[in-house]
Amino acid sequence: MAGKLRKAAIIGAGYVGASCAYAMLNQSLCDEIMLVGRSDKRTRAQAQDLSHCVDFSHSRTQVYAGTLEQCGDMDLIVLCAGGNPVEGGSRLDLLDSAYEIYRDMIGRMMASGFDGIFLVATNPVDIVTYMVWKLSGLPRERVIGSGTSIDTARLKTLLSEHLPVDPRSVQGYVMGEHGESQFVVWSHVTVGGKPLSDIISQHPQRFGNISLDDIERRTRNAGWDILLGKGSTHYGIAAALTSIARSIFNNDCRIAAVSAVLDGEYGAKDIGIGVPAIIGRSGIQEVLELRLNDAEQLRFAHSCAVIREAIQSLPELQAVGD
Ligand code: NAD
């Protein structure tokens, strides 16, 4: 029997990493999942627990604990190590600790011979995506952040509560920073192909009371609601990561709102930010450039400024590759 094994490593075996492994395993996405964590004992226990799911799943996935030095033949590395923001703070507060975590780790994975795709969940995800791109030296299409994929799912879920349709029948995106400066691209939200603005204006009795500002605010705050309620948000992001990983492994060319390192798209360069992109076997196959209206362009520019300021707060990163 021929065929290359599909292998993924997950770095950080906490809530997000373990939930991602669980989702990948239940979707029979790959042949091997290697967990790499800070505590060997805990990581081995996570791997052992997950390996017991195999008897109940559709196909065999080997789950084991490993090291950064064993990443050489991985197709995909999912980065989930890091902490969560505290109440009253922001995801941007995590930047210094994320840099401390990944400063040496990325080099060690690259030294092991890794030549696949990085998928980043660690917050602040847009800046960590940029950081991983810089530190790894990989082409920009092979470093993908989960970006605003989870925020987009939250938007669709909220809209589906107002319009009686399945969230999957709502099309649209949250773009920009996975953080406070994100924004909904309302000009491109459609339901079954029909613009949301038409639906609202044609049915004032049914939908006239929908407040787009309120939906946008609740979309932005959903992560905080969950974090303050239970200490971590992990099932939704794990599903988002698994969906992106599936599009890579199966070359599905699905479009998702991910953090991509831009090179002129949307008039921005040398920055990681949430934009819709086609995801396939080679990573980001193309960034989809939506025609934003004037207000949306301003919001995109503001989000870029927030991210750029954070990138510039790490002078060490600026020097990489110079
Ligand atoms: P957690 O505390 O449950 O797990 C974090 C894990 O990272 C722990 O197992 C810890 O041991 C590990 N870790 C920390 N430093 C490490 C190091 N130097 N080497 C190896 N492992 C290390 O946290 P969580 O809830 O799983 O969140 C993980 C990350 O995912 C955080 O940065 C969080 O903000 C982020 N997150 C992102 C999104 C998103 O949409 N991108 C959503 C939710 C969470």
Side-chain angles (χ1 to χ4, degrees), residues 1-200:
M1 207 189 71
K4 188 178 168 296
L5 293 182
R6 297 170 161 207
K7 297 186 178 193
I10 297 179
I11 314 300
Y15 278 107
V16 174
S19 302
C20 182
Y22 184 67
M24 288 170 76
L25 194 152
N26 278 310
Q27 294 185 26
S28 301
L29 210 63
C30 37
D31 301 286
E32 291 185 21
I33 298 174
M34 179 173 81
L35 300 182
V36 181
R38 202 163 34 172
S39 148
D40 285 348
K41 187 176 166 200
R42 187 179 155 77
T43 309
R44 273 202 309 275
Q46 287 280 34
Q48 189 181 11
D49 190 4
L50 284 158
S51 71
H52 298 156
C53 303
V54 174
D55 195 33
F56 308 101
S57 70
H58 297 295
S59 66
R60 185 174 181 201
T61 308
Q62 281 189 284
V63 190
Y64 53 92
T67 65
L68 298 176
E69 283 64 35
Q70 287 170 267
C71 285
D73 63 347
M74 294 293 149
D75 302 296
L76 179 72
I77 298 181
V78 190
L79 300 177
C80 304
N84 280 301
V86 293
E87 190 169 4
S90 115
R91 295 174 179 92
L92 292 171
D93 302 337
L94 305 169
L95 180 55
D96 288 342
S97 67
Y99 181 66
E100 281 309 309
I101 290 174
Y102 288 119
R103 190 175 52 178
D104 299 325
M105 265 198 193
I106 301 298
R108 285 170 63 191
M109 288 185 264
M110 296 310 292
S112 75
F114 176 65
D115 194 26
I117 294 174
F118 278 114
L119 176 56
V120 183
T122 301
N123 275 318
V125 69
D126 303 290
I127 299 128
V128 178
T129 301
Y130 177 85
M131 180 194 293
V132 172
W133 172 63
K134 276 276 201 176
L135 294 172
S136 68
L138 284 173
R140 67 184 182 118
E141 60 271 17
R142 286 206 265 141
V143 183
I144 309 172
S146 57
T148 41
S149 56
I150 185 64
D151 308 287
T152 298
R154 288 167 180 161
L155 169 71
K156 292 178 181 181
T157 306
L158 282 165
L159 281 171
S160 77
E161 290 167 9
H162 290 272
L163 312 159
V165 293
D166 185 321
R168 292 169 299 177
S169 295
V170 178
Q171 298 81 37
Y173 305 102
V174 175
M175 279 179 58
E177 179 202 5
H178 171 60
E180 301 308 306
S181 68
Q182 64 179 239
F183 63 99
V184 179
V185 189
W186 288 115
S187 65
H188 286 269
V189 175
T190 61
V191 181
K194 183 164 176 164
L196 178 64
S197 51
D198 287 358
I199 293 174
I200 293 174

Side-chain angles (χ1 to χ4, degrees), residues 253-274:
C253 299
R254 257 178 75 88
I255 297 175
V258 294
S259 286
V261 178
L262 299 187
D263 187 25
E265 297 91 346
Y266 292 97
K269 244 178 172 340
D270 209 35
I271 191 168
I273 190 163

